Amino acid sequence: MTTLTRQDLNFGQVVADVLCEFLEVAVHLILYVREVYPVGIFQKRKKYNVPVQMSCHPELNQYIQDTLHCVKPLLEKGGGGGVWVTRFWSRGFLFLQNDVEKVVVVILDKEHRPVEKFVFEITQPPLLSISSDSLLSHVEQLLRAFILKISVCDAVLDHNPPGCTFTVLVHTREAATRNMEKIQVIKDFPWILADEQDVHMHDPRLIPLKTMTSDILKMQLYVEERAHKSS
Amino acid sequence: MMLHGGQYHVYYSRSKTTHIIATNLPNAKIKELKGEKVIRPEWIVESIKAGRLLSCIPYQLYSKPSNMQKGLNFNPACKAEESVPGPSSVAKQLNNRVNHIIKKVETENEVKVNGVNSWNEEDANNFSFTELEQIFPGRKQNGIPHHRDSAAIFNGHTPSSNGALKTQDCLVPLGHSVASRLSPDFTQEEEQAEKSRTDFRDCVVQQSPQSTRNTDAMRNPHRTNSFSLSSLHSNTKINGAHYSAVQGPSSTKSTSSVPTLSKAAPSVPSKPSDCNFISDFYSRSRLHHISMWKCELTEFVNTLQRQSSGIFPGREKLKKMKTGRSALVVTDTGNMSVLSSPRHQSCIMHVDMDCFFVSVGIRNRPDLKGKPVAVTSNRGTGRAPLRPGANPQLEWQYYQNKVLKGRAAEIPDASLWENQDSAQANGIDSVLSKAEIASCSYEARQVGIRNGMFFGQAKQLCPSLQAVPYDFHAYKEVARTMYETLASYTHSIEAVSCDEALVDITEILAETRLTPDEFANAVRMEIKDQTKCAASVGIGSNILLARMATRKAKPDGQYHLKPEEVDDFIRGQLVSNLPGVGRSMESKLTALGIKTCGDLQYMTMAKLQKEFGPKTGQMLYRFCRGLDDRPVRTEKERKSISAEINYGIRFTQPKEAEAFLLNLSEEIQRRLEAAGVKGKRLTLKVMVRKPGAPVETAKFGGHGICDNVARTVTLDQATDSAKIIGKAALNMFHTMKLNISDMRGVGIQVNQLVPTNPNPSACPSRPSVPSGHFPGGSHSVLDLFQVQKAKKSTEEEHEEVFLAAMDLEISPASRNCTFLPPFSTHLTSSVNPVTSKAESSGKWNGLHSPISLKSRLNLSIEVPSPSQLDQSVLEALPPDLREQVEQACAVQQGELHGDKKKEPVNGCNTGILPQPVGTVLLQIPEPQESNSDTGINVIALPAFSQVDPEVFAALPAELQKELKAAYDQRQRQGENAAHQQPAAAAVPKNLFRQLKPASVKEKKRNKKKNPISPPKKIQSPLKNKLLNSPVKTLPGACGSPQKLIDGFLKHESPASEKPLGELSASTSGVPGLSGSQPEPAGCGRPPAPNLAGAVEFSDVKTLLKEWITTISDPMEEDILQVVKYCTDLIEEKDLEKLDLVIKYMKRLMQQSVESVWNMAFDFILDNVQVVLQQTYGSTLKVT
């Protein structure tokens, strides 16, 4: 009857694994739903007991995997904290509970101006323990709800202009940038500071999609949408 | 007299003469003999007649002849009136006393104290005895303020216990006691009045410590004021008196003129907002004194050791004694060698004074010897009137439950007890005194009275129980004497407490060739000689055995536990006698069928460790076998320093609480300074009235049934500055978001102590950095980093300093766009060890406070706040770097607070009560920062008063401007918040002007609120309902999708009870799943955002619907409440729910016939959008 708490070494790993897994699925799905890539490159799979779409384009998959790979070690550290005033923006895909407050999938138009941002805001629940949910089944349910929300978000979002591309931003706290070396597990996959224009969206509208609070994770997903997408 | 052991001194000798016998004395003599006992001759005669030493108090002669005359005259008068209860006699006594005081005051010519002055004026009419009754009311009215005055003045004097101020100190209490005569106690029973008057006179005249002891009937609490005259630290007692003044006003409240006063009295002393409250509190807290003494005595022993010359007078004396004896008894030597055999193994002596407080208290009261005596702050019969609202039975029941069941008990049903109360109230309107007995004599223990018992209860057990007041000064003196005595033999002393010490006597025995028993006897004799108090001594081969032996030795005995006896002895001991075995462990052991150490010996180590944890298990295993390898530690490292007050904490305004915290921080600073340490970790502990517990506690000023709330934060540098501690404490306090009036106790603890002397090794490495590495005026990270790299090699050992510096450099860097990730690679390597260190300490902290862990991780790599910076290091830096450091520091300071305060907003808060103090989200766009498109997140700036103007001035101009703007904005919002609502209500306010307050409807609404709210709030934070609730809601929430889709599409079902989220989910053809939406309430934190108590979305919906459909013109207050709820949701990062709420309201309100509702919705939406804009940089898309 082991009770995992934040003190346990593998606890951070558990959370990291869960989150990485989820984010991978979520990114693929967003790309599919928002039609960033042709529908043809996606395959139907089953995850969290619901159908999801996954790209089968090797390079894209590699990119997503690499980013996640870099993220994991930091996640395992566990912990959390306040919000630093200064934020860094990095291209790529990274989150860590400790240093990351937001993981953002940004969809850019042809001019590389963001039209949509899927923001995963990650915080820690006040009481961190998975003792009451040792099979994480409840977490899975919650994550499934996220996936489902993503898959139907086109209903509440306007259509994107053609020729979109995407990038992943991570809002970290200042301290996190110093841990970047650790994150850089894979060579030639560095984090860079995001350009202002990647980040700033003109006249954004906020559409909340889903909020979850579980024993191990507190996360909310919302979309920031440019008011006039075609312009 | 000679026959009976008395001595007659022809010439007066201050040191030898104990009593002066006289019938009349000239004024000059009286002045000279101030502080001596001047007794009438009857004392001797009657003492001889009685065959024992009578208390000299009733025979005291007055130093002022005029007073004496009156006093003596009144003696019979009062006696005569004893049988005639009524105000008149009281009045006379009052007058009598007042006269004394005036005289005293006048003769002292020290009437400069305001309070006393005023008394003089008033007292002018006190001579007309007959008019007293008529004068009373008028005087009473005057009396209250003056009473206060004098109390206040007195407070001012509390710290000064030196001779210079003595007169003043004396005077004020005098005035005070005059005041007190006017307050409730003049209604007391007559015989007590008589007695107390006597006492009073004693005290006034005598001013000697001896007068502090008093006879039982000290009902009148204010009398202690007069006692205080006699002792140097009179504050203790004065304050004590305040307490009892409130605690035990006489039960016979028949006189109609009293109530105003009795009401006024309690409010005088125990106002935590009073700036002297803390020092007052500590000066009268016995627990505080005890712990302080222990520290002092440990320090004393340490000092002795440092100064030790290796010569111990006591030891020399013993040696002489021994040689003298052995010369006489030569034949004893053979015997001796046998006896002294144990001296090769270690021999520990445990010295413990017998019922310390009592024996000190009665050492000059021979008449109390052999009687049941208790030291307590209460006097009299031990009854106090039941204050309205207090429910002692309830609390009693609660504690009983807690003790018996060993778990956090539920608060018993109050209504159950109310019935009983009312039944009781018919007869008695008083309850037993809740003053604790600090110590009681062995005679008292025989009848079942125990230390820590409430006095009232004890008095019932033993009606003849005599109460003796505290005399902290004497305790200290006696403790000191005892330690000095011990120190004359050896310096290997461990100060266990003020009345208890462990001495390693192995060496002494070897040197003096005394047997342990002989030595113990010698020590005991000497202690008794010096202190007039009995001490018990236990001797054993280790600390444990010595302690156990002392138990057997008590009272006033000694016991040497010889090695061969140990086994039998220990087997017969009760486990509860073992040190470290408390009540809970005892009950645990009893459950295991273990009563004695013998039983315990049958348990295996593994079993014990499994039951009690590895350390305790091992300890038990060893202890029950009499094994104990702890050395006599003469020097103990302090692990923490704290100041806690949980008495009399009743705040009415946040301001008071904040001021109190700052005061407490100062107290901490004093203590840290006194201990010569700095601390790194701060813990703020607050006791909050448990929901459902009675507001009025059974013990006046006590904390009652409470929940404990604690917050911890680790500072980046150890500190002993009250300013820093205060700031941190305030921040923590704000994150708790407590209801101020429910606070019952506050404490600050400082952990992770380090010695104050600064680390000198940090300095040299600084200058070693070549200044050439600093291109003038360059803010480039690249440059900085190169410097950093250069430093790194030299500074690895000064990790922390280095780290701080690095932070400093990064902060400015972050303002530059040139910061590139590759640099971080180098930086990280050196950061890592520290981060991991922080983490491990986080682990140490445990699950207990997730916030603290977080903040630790952040703070540990932050720039130290300016005051923490080592000035020398700073100065050693090259000028440009220094400038940067300072700058960064200034920025950082702003951030630090923002950072800490942000936490709750971040959703990590565990303490948001439904009435948050009004922290408002603020966000200032900061255009010049390349990296922040959403701007600086100044969630909670430090209070403007906390901003160091120098730091502010050092900030770059733009930053200054921004901060100013932020503060302005905050002030505006703060003003709004003061009106209970944070939102920027200024603009649309006029919209609501026309709305008439619909009070009836409001009431109705309130009624609706109430049943919902309480159960939600009481949720235990530990209970995790998360797992269950959503699962349960899942099936129900699915609904019938098709119908909902229709409803949604057509937008014409305003009465629909289904949440919009479900609808939208349903439209997309994924029915049911959104039902698993997590409820913030489910996570079990009590302060989840709620709308009038409703947390679950369905509840909120119901409430909203009812509100919108039944009321035609909404109250502004209610609208603001909704806004507040929405803002809370944003803070809680529950945008989904916010979205649902907004959509739901939109549907209902916009379809309402009343245009008011449309406006209301617009207003709410506007406010929400503003807050959202500040938090997220974007606004909600409302379709």
Side-chain angles (χ1 to χ4, degrees):
Chain A
M1 296 301 284
T2 50
T3 305
L4 290 176
T5 63
R6 64 193 308 154
Q7 276 72 51
D8 290 310
L9 253 180
N10 57 353
F11 178 69
Q13 277 174 346
V14 169
V15 179
D17 283 345
V18 169
L19 266 171
C20 285
E21 199 180 13
F22 163 74
L23 282 166
E24 187 176 359
V25 178
V27 171
H28 280 281
L29 195 59
I30 289 168
L31 297 181
Y32 170 81
V33 173
R34 300 313 294 150
E35 294 169 353
V36 179
Y37 291 99
V39 182
I41 71 158
F42 289 94
Q43 269 183 350
K44 209 172 199 174
R45 302 267 179 87
K46 196 169 120 178
K47 183 72 196 170
Y48 304 117
N49 223 11
V50 285
V52 294
Q53 296 284 345
M54 289 210 62
S55 136
C56 44
H57 189 281
E59 279 175 38
L60 175 60
N61 291 4
Q62 191 61 44
Y63 173 75
I64 297 172
Q65 266 169 28
D66 282 352
T67 52
L68 284 169
H69 208 74
C70 296
V71 162
K72 245 184 186 173
L74 275 151
L75 236 192
E76 284 163 9
K77 298 196 324 163
V83 178
W84 282 65
V85 177
T86 321
R87 285 181 194 144
F88 283 77
W89 300 76
S90 308
R91 195 191 295 271
F93 190 72
L94 152 81
F95 72 91
L96 49 155
Q97 284 198 291
N98 196 7
D99 298 321
V100 172
E101 48 181 28
K102 284 175 193 168
V103 175
V104 188
V105 179
V106 188
I107 297 176
L108 309 154
D109 62 11
K110 272 185 202 150
E111 287 83 40
H112 281 273
R113 287 176 303 166
V115 279
E116 257 171 28
K117 291 199 273 187
F118 284 80
V119 184
F120 296 88
E121 205 173 8
I122 300 159
T123 45
Q124 273 197 322
L127 277 175
L128 199 56
S129 116
I130 57 171
S131 53
S132 56
D133 188 23
S134 49
L135 293 174
L136 295 173
S137 56
H138 179 234
V139 174
E140 194 187 312
Q141 283 177 2
L142 296 174
L143 294 178
R144 183 198 298 152
F146 268 83
I147 294 294
L148 287 167
K149 268 285 187 182
I150 294 170
S151 61
V152 300
C153 68
D154 55 342
V156 285
L157 297 174
D158 295 338
H159 282 291
N160 282 336
C164 279
T165 170
F166 91 104
T167 187
V168 183
L169 301 177
V170 179
H171 295 221
T172 70
R173 289 162 203 127
E174 195 174 341
T177 54
R178 270 171 278 143
N179 295 329
M180 291 270 181
E181 187 215 26
K182 214 178 177 184
I183 302 160
Q184 200 179 347
V185 194
I186 305 163
K187 284 269 185 302
D188 308 322
F189 201 78
W191 297 100
I192 58 165
L193 205 60
D195 291 335
E196 174 70 18
Q197 67 156 28
D198 279 355
V199 169
H200 187 69
M201 187 190 284
H202 179 70
D203 194 11
R205 287 288 147 78
L206 195 138
I207 301 117
L209 285 185
K210 194 76 203 148
T211 305
M212 72 174 266
T213 308
S214 80
D215 288 3
I216 59 165
L217 189 65
K218 189 174 170 179
M219 178 162 69
Q220 78 166 330
L221 170 63
Y222 60 87
V223 181
E224 279 182 84
E225 189 183 32
R226 197 164 73 192
H228 310 287
K229 285 193 171 177
S230 46
S231 65
Chain B
M1 190 178 85
M2 296 282 213
L3 283 178
H4 292 85
Q7 269 189 328
Y8 173 69
H9 297 164
V10 181
Y11 294 104
Y12 168 71
S13 150
R14 210 170 260 278
S15 57
K16 279 189 202 151
T17 313
T18 57
H19 296 84
I20 295 164
I21 311 297
T23 48
N24 200 2
L25 281 176
N27 203 37
K29 272 248 168 80
I30 289 161
K31 274 190 182 152
E32 193 188 317
L33 294 177
K34 206 163 68 182
E36 291 292 325
K37 286 186 212 167
V38 184
I39 314 288
R40 284 180 285 125
E42 288 90 330
W43 174 62
I44 300 173
V45 181
E46 282 176 24
S47 283
I48 291 170
K49 223 184 268 170
R52 65 189 175 92
L53 199 60
L54 292 176
S55 170
C56 55
I57 288 165
Y59 304 95
Q60 211 99 46
L61 187 78
Y62 287 93
S63 54
K64 308 283 175 288
S66 56
N67 279 351
M68 182 200 75
Q69 281 313 107
K70 266 179 195 144
L72 288 175
N73 287 344
F74 268 97
N75 244 336
C78 287
K79 267 177 197 154
E81 278 169 351
E82 248 176 57
S83 53
V84 192
S88 63
S89 67
V90 183
K92 277 193 180 167
Q93 282 155 33
L94 172 101
N95 245 309
N96 179 20
R97 229 148 288 142
V98 165
N99 285 340
H100 284 306
I101 291 148
I102 306 151
K103 286 278 155 60
K104 182 81 178 168
V105 168
E106 280 165 355
T107 43
E108 299 257 0
N109 289 328
E110 282 279 353
V111 254
K112 44 191 168 188
V113 188
N114 303 337
V116 179
N117 252 330
S118 52
W119 279 107
N120 266 337
E121 291 159 22
E122 261 183 84
D123 293 336
N125 49 8
N126 282 352
F127 292 100
S128 51
F129 297 165
T130 46
E131 289 169 20
L132 262 178
E133 265 182 83
Q134 289 96 303
I135 293 166
F136 261 141
R139 197 177 329 142
K140 233 180 298 145
Q141 273 154 12
N142 292 337
I144 301 162
H146 289 305
H147 182 44
R148 279 213 183 109
D149 267 355
S150 51
I153 291 157
F154 186 74
N155 283 342
H157 287 305
T158 42
S160 59
S161 55
N162 54 6
L165 282 163
K166 197 176 168 187
T167 34
Q168 279 189 344
D169 270 349
C170 294
L171 282 174
V172 182
L174 277 170
H176 194 80
S177 35
V178 177
S180 67
R181 300 311 302 161
L182 293 164
S183 58
D185 53 340
F186 71 76
T187 59
Q188 72 193 346
E189 289 148 74
E190 296 317 306
E191 87 259 20
Q192 276 170 353
E194 201 277 320
K195 261 186 204 158
S196 57
R197 192 174 57 88
T198 319
D199 295 328
F200 182 75
R201 257 189 276 135
D202 289 347
C203 302
V204 170
V205 177
Q206 255 193 330
Q207 294 192 349
S208 78
Q210 280 89 342
S211 67
T212 51
R213 69 283 202 273
N214 205 343
T215 43
D216 50 346
M218 292 294 283
R219 161 86 63 85
N220 178 357
H222 298 288
R223 201 153 308 110
T224 23
N225 292 346
S226 40
F227 283 137
S228 59
L229 290 177
S230 55
S231 115
L232 279 176
H233 56 293
S234 39
N235 47 350
T236 310
K237 271 172 236 114
I238 294 276
N239 294 324
H242 285 313
Y243 281 140
S244 40
V246 188
Q247 236 168 331
S250 62
S251 48
T252 54
K253 264 205 207 161
S254 48
T255 29
S256 56
S257 52
V258 180
T260 42
L261 272 166
S262 55
K263 234 194 254 168
S267 67
V268 175
S270 44
K271 261 278 185 221
S273 49
D274 183 355
C275 60
N276 287 314
F277 176 77
I278 291 178
S279 50
D280 284 1
F281 176 83
Y282 279 116
S283 61
R284 66 197 163 205
S285 158
R286 76 168 188 277
L287 298 176
H288 166 70
H289 277 285
I290 291 169
S291 63
M292 288 307 279
W293 290 332
K294 188 194 162 177
C295 295
E296 275 172 32
L297 290 167
T298 312
E299 187 52 37
F300 171 66
V301 171
N302 287 342
T303 325
L304 285 177
Q305 270 167 341
R306 277 196 292 278
Q307 296 162 352
S308 170
S309 56
I311 300 161
F312 300 102
R315 216 185 272 194
E316 301 302 316
K317 209 167 65 196
L318 280 180
K319 264 192 229 165
K320 267 182 217 152
M321 186 181 93
K322 187 70 191 168
T323 46
R325 194 140 52 106
S326 53
L328 285 173
V329 195
V330 190
T331 47
D332 256 11
T333 42
N335 202 6
M336 262 278 297
S337 62
V338 177
L339 278 173
S340 55
S341 60
R343 81 182 118 105
H344 293 295
Q345 71 180 83
S346 73
C347 198
I348 311 291
M349 179 171 81
H350 180 233
V351 184
D352 191 1
M353 309 295 284
D354 295 334
C355 42
F356 183 60
F357 283 10
V358 169
S359 38
V360 174
I362 63 168
R363 66 193 169 132
N364 292 317
R365 296 279 303 272
D367 55 312
L368 286 180
K369 286 215 169 94
K371 282 188 185 160
V373 176
V375 175
T376 177
S377 56
N378 184 281
R379 284 135 210 101
T381 57
R383 296 194 81 84
L386 182 61
R387 292 183 319 287
N391 197 342
Q393 287 95 342
L394 183 84
E395 283 190 31
W396 175 247
Q397 172 80 2
Y398 174 78
Y399 291 126
Q400 282 296 99
N401 283 347
K402 205 168 176 176
V403 169
L404 291 177
K405 292 168 192 164
R407 61 183 169 82
E410 301 294 313
I411 295 175
D413 186 12
S415 58
L416 195 89
W417 292 105
E418 270 160 21
N419 296 335
Q420 295 195 4
D421 268 351
S422 54
Q424 250 184 3
N426 306 333
I428 323 153
D429 63 343
S430 66
V431 289
L432 297 177
S433 161
K434 287 282 185 291
E436 261 180 44
I437 292 178
S439 175
C440 59
S441 66
Y442 284 96
E443 290 79 14
R445 286 180 207 197
Q446 272 169 5
V447 285
I449 295 168
R450 294 281 169 271
N451 290 352
M453 209 179 235
F454 288 139
F455 184 68
Q457 197 191 347
K459 192 82 184 167
Q460 281 192 325
L461 276 172
C462 174
S464 62
L465 184 68
Q466 315 263 306
V468 169
Y470 290 108
D471 182 1
F472 292 111
H473 184 64
Y475 302 148
K476 192 176 173 180
E477 199 183 284
V478 170
R480 190 91 180 183
T481 317
M482 182 192 91
Y483 273 91
E484 269 162 10
T485 311
L486 290 177
S488 70
Y489 296 104
T490 179
H491 287 164
S492 180
I493 301 169
E494 177 178 340
V496 181
S497 75
C498 59
D499 65 333
E500 204 180 339
L502 285 161
V503 190
D504 188 344
I505 54 169
T506 322
E507 198 195 335
I508 309 174
L509 295 181
E511 204 180 312
T512 59
R513 300 180 66 81
L514 282 166
T515 66
D517 277 320
E518 282 170 326
F519 178 69
N521 205 26
V523 170
R524 280 184 52 231
M525 293 296 282
E526 193 173 341
I527 290 175
K528 197 159 191 176
D529 215 41
Q530 302 268 339
T531 64
K532 297 194 222 164
C533 296
S536 297
V537 167
I539 298 173
S541 54
N542 59 39
I543 293 178
L544 171 73
L545 294 176
R547 273 170 175 269
M548 305 281 266
T550 313
R551 268 178 192 279
K552 191 158 178 171
K554 279 188 174 238
D556 194 15
Q558 62 188 61
Y559 186 71
H560 177 208
L561 190 57
K562 297 181 184 69
E564 62 269 18
E565 297 169 358
V566 169
D567 281 347
D568 291 331
F569 175 82
I570 198 95
R571 265 200 283 274
Q573 289 291 315
L574 292 173
V575 277
S576 51
N577 287 352
L578 291 174
V581 178
R583 215 181 306 175
S584 69
M585 205 190 282
E586 192 192 343
S587 65
K588 234 176 172 181
L589 285 166
T590 318
L592 289 168
I594 294 164
K595 270 210 166 124
T596 64
C597 290
D599 299 336
L600 197 56
Q601 283 179 10
Y602 290 112
M603 300 283 277
T604 61
M605 170 94 91
K607 181 96 193 281
L608 283 173
Q609 288 188 332
K610 205 183 141 209
E611 286 289 333
F612 299 100
K615 257 197 154 160
T616 320
Q618 193 187 18
M619 181 202 84
L620 282 176
Y621 183 83
R622 291 178 59 82
F623 277 10
C624 72
R625 286 163 177 77
L627 301 173
D628 182 10
D629 49 9
R630 291 174 297 171
V632 171
R633 279 179 307 158
T634 51
E635 211 160 331
K636 262 188 221 160
E637 213 181 301
R638 292 193 69 165
K639 293 214 176 68
S640 70
I641 285 179
S642 70
E644 269 177 67
I645 295 183
N646 48 33
Y647 186 94
I649 300 284
R650 296 290 185 278
F651 298 119
T652 52
Q653 285 172 353
K655 255 202 327 244
E656 292 173 0
E658 281 162 19
F660 181 79
L661 271 175
L662 292 177
N663 282 335
L664 205 58
S665 309
E666 273 161 31
E667 176 71 28
I668 284 278
Q669 179 184 359
R670 272 195 291 280
R671 293 181 183 200
L672 285 168
E673 277 166 1
V677 289
K678 290 179 173 194
K680 225 174 146 179
R681 190 134 67 129
L682 287 181
T683 305
L684 177 68
K685 297 188 229 175
V686 179
M687 293 179 97
V688 188
R689 183 175 66 86
K690 204 175 178 68
V695 175
E696 191 67 67
T697 53
K699 174 168 176 152
F700 176 81
H703 55 71
I705 303 171
C706 280
D707 283 330
N708 291 310
V709 189
R711 284 279 182 294
T712 304
V713 37
T714 300
L715 305 170
D716 33 76
Q717 288 215 330
T719 183
D720 60 356
S721 144
K723 226 170 132 192
I724 295 168
I725 294 170
K727 268 182 198 168
L730 276 180
N731 279 332
M732 286 189 278
F733 177 69
H734 288 309
T735 64
M736 291 185 183
K737 298 200 174 172
L738 298 169
N739 189 358
I740 300 293
S741 59
D742 279 345
M743 286 173 69
R744 292 290 181 268
V746 185
I748 301 178
Q749 189 179 43
V750 183
N751 285 337
Q752 294 183 357
L753 302 178
V754 290
T756 303
N757 44 332
N759 184 10
S761 62
C763 304
S765 61
R766 278 294 157 154
S768 73
V769 180
S771 55
H773 281 266
F774 296 88
S778 165
H779 285 239
S780 152
V781 187
L782 200 84
D783 293 328
L784 285 168
F785 185 68
Q786 276 171 353
V787 172
Q788 201 57 63
K789 241 158 73 179
K791 277 183 195 167
K792 206 161 89 178
S793 52
T794 59
E795 275 189 40
E796 224 116 58
E797 69 270 34
H798 312 306
E799 219 168 55
E800 229 172 85
V801 180
F802 168 65
L803 210 90
M806 207 159 81
D807 252 296
L808 299 181
E809 280 145 18
I810 283 169
S811 310
S814 67
R815 255 148 274 285
N816 278 311
C817 309
T818 48
F819 186 61
L820 291 170
F823 290 115
S824 68
T825 57
H826 304 277
L827 293 165
T828 328
S829 62
S830 52
V831 175
N832 284 340
V834 179
T835 329
S836 60
K837 204 171 75 189
E839 228 181 272
S840 60
S841 64
K843 276 172 193 159
W844 186 85
N845 190 33
L847 230 169
H848 166 64
S849 57
I851 288 173
S852 69
L853 179 67
K854 285 177 193 169
S855 51
R856 187 168 318 115
L857 284 168
N858 284 335
L859 297 179
S860 61
I861 41 178
E862 265 176 2
V863 185
S865 68
S867 52
Q868 284 179 313
L869 271 181
D870 191 337
Q871 205 56 41
S872 58
V873 172
L874 201 64
E875 272 157 23
L877 287 171
D880 52 352
L881 183 60
R882 185 164 62 209
E883 200 181 288
Q884 279 180 28
V885 169
E886 280 162 356
Q887 212 175 74
C889 213
V891 174
Q892 202 73 14
Q893 209 190 23
E895 288 176 0
L896 191 93
H897 294 286
D899 185 21
K900 278 190 213 150
K901 286 198 180 169
K902 173 71 203 245
E903 275 167 11
V905 179
N906 221 356
C908 311
N909 57 330
T910 54
I912 302 181
L913 281 176
Q915 313 91 318
V917 196
T919 338
V920 181
L921 280 178
L922 265 194
Q923 212 166 20
I924 318 159
E926 197 184 37
Q928 90 274 20
E929 276 203 32
S930 66
N931 41 18
S932 69
D933 73 330
T934 40
I936 280 195
N937 202 349
V938 197
I939 284 310
L941 292 162
F944 191 68
S945 57
Q946 286 182 314
V947 175
D948 189 343
E950 280 173 43
V951 173
F952 188 75
L955 285 170
E958 306 101 306
L959 261 179
Q960 278 186 15
K961 221 159 74 190
E962 269 168 34
L963 275 172
K964 252 185 213 151
Y967 273 118
D968 286 347
Q969 198 175 347
R970 190 159 101 134
Q971 209 180 6
R972 261 179 275 128
Q973 298 211 2
E975 277 159 19
N976 292 337
H979 296 107
Q980 294 227 320
Q981 288 305 329
V987 188
K989 215 169 186 172
N990 48 6
L991 183 106
F992 292 95
R993 288 257 163 80
Q994 64 236 40
L995 299 180
K996 277 174 213 148
S999 57
V1000 183
K1001 278 163 191 164
E1002 175 61 16
K1003 260 182 210 158
K1004 190 179 165 192
R1005 183 168 151 71
N1006 283 337
K1007 245 193 284 171
K1008 276 175 212 150
K1009 287 175 197 168
N1010 291 335
I1012 312 169
S1013 51
K1016 295 260 157 57
K1017 283 183 217 155
I1018 305 171
Q1019 272 181 4
S1020 154
L1022 293 170
K1023 244 179 244 169
N1024 204 327
K1025 295 192 175 168
L1026 180 64
L1027 192 62
N1028 302 327
S1029 57
V1031 178
K1032 270 187 238 149
T1033 57
L1034 184 62
C1038 290
S1040 66
Q1042 196 47 54
K1043 220 166 80 191
L1044 296 176
I1045 292 168
D1046 294 342
F1048 178 66
L1049 292 176
K1050 287 174 197 163
H1051 259 260
E1052 58 183 19
S1053 60
S1056 167
E1057 297 243 344
K1058 293 291 169 189
L1060 212 83
E1062 281 168 38
L1063 294 170
S1064 61
S1066 310
T1067 32
S1068 329
V1070 198
L1073 281 155
S1074 65
S1076 65
Q1077 116 200 8
E1079 301 287 355
C1083 72
R1085 278 162 304 127
N1090 63 70
L1091 183 65
V1095 178
E1096 304 281 330
F1097 182 58
S1098 54
D1099 293 342
V1100 174
K1101 258 181 18 177
T1102 321
L1103 204 65
L1104 284 172
K1105 193 186 158 199
E1106 223 161 65
W1107 179 44
I1108 296 166
T1109 49
T1110 55
I1111 292 169
S1112 53
D1113 49 344
M1115 289 276 295
E1116 185 182 349
E1117 191 190 314
D1118 287 351
I1119 293 171
L1120 288 173
Q1121 188 145 14
V1122 173
V1123 172
K1124 171 85 175 55
Y1125 172 64
C1126 293
T1127 320
D1128 283 350
L1129 281 178
I1130 296 169
E1131 280 182 42
E1132 191 70 7
K1133 296 196 188 301
D1134 199 348
L1135 292 179
E1136 190 192 10
K1137 207 177 195 177
L1138 175 79
D1139 195 34
L1140 296 178
V1141 169
I1142 295 280
K1143 281 179 180 162
Y1144 187 74
M1145 283 195 298
K1146 181 181 158 76
R1147 249 184 325 142
L1148 287 180
M1149 290 182 179
Q1150 291 194 341
Q1151 282 174 11
S1152 167
V1153 279
E1154 314 280 340
S1155 63
V1156 186
W1157 279 112
N1158 268 315
M1159 288 197 286
F1161 176 74
D1162 289 343
F1163 171 71
I1164 292 169
L1165 188 63
D1166 282 352
N1167 278 305
V1168 169
Q1169 297 287 34
V1170 165
V1171 180
L1172 264 175
Q1173 177 70 39
Q1174 283 165 354
T1175 319
Y1176 288 98
S1178 49
T1179 50
L1180 199 67
K1181 180 177 172 182
V1182 183
T1183 48

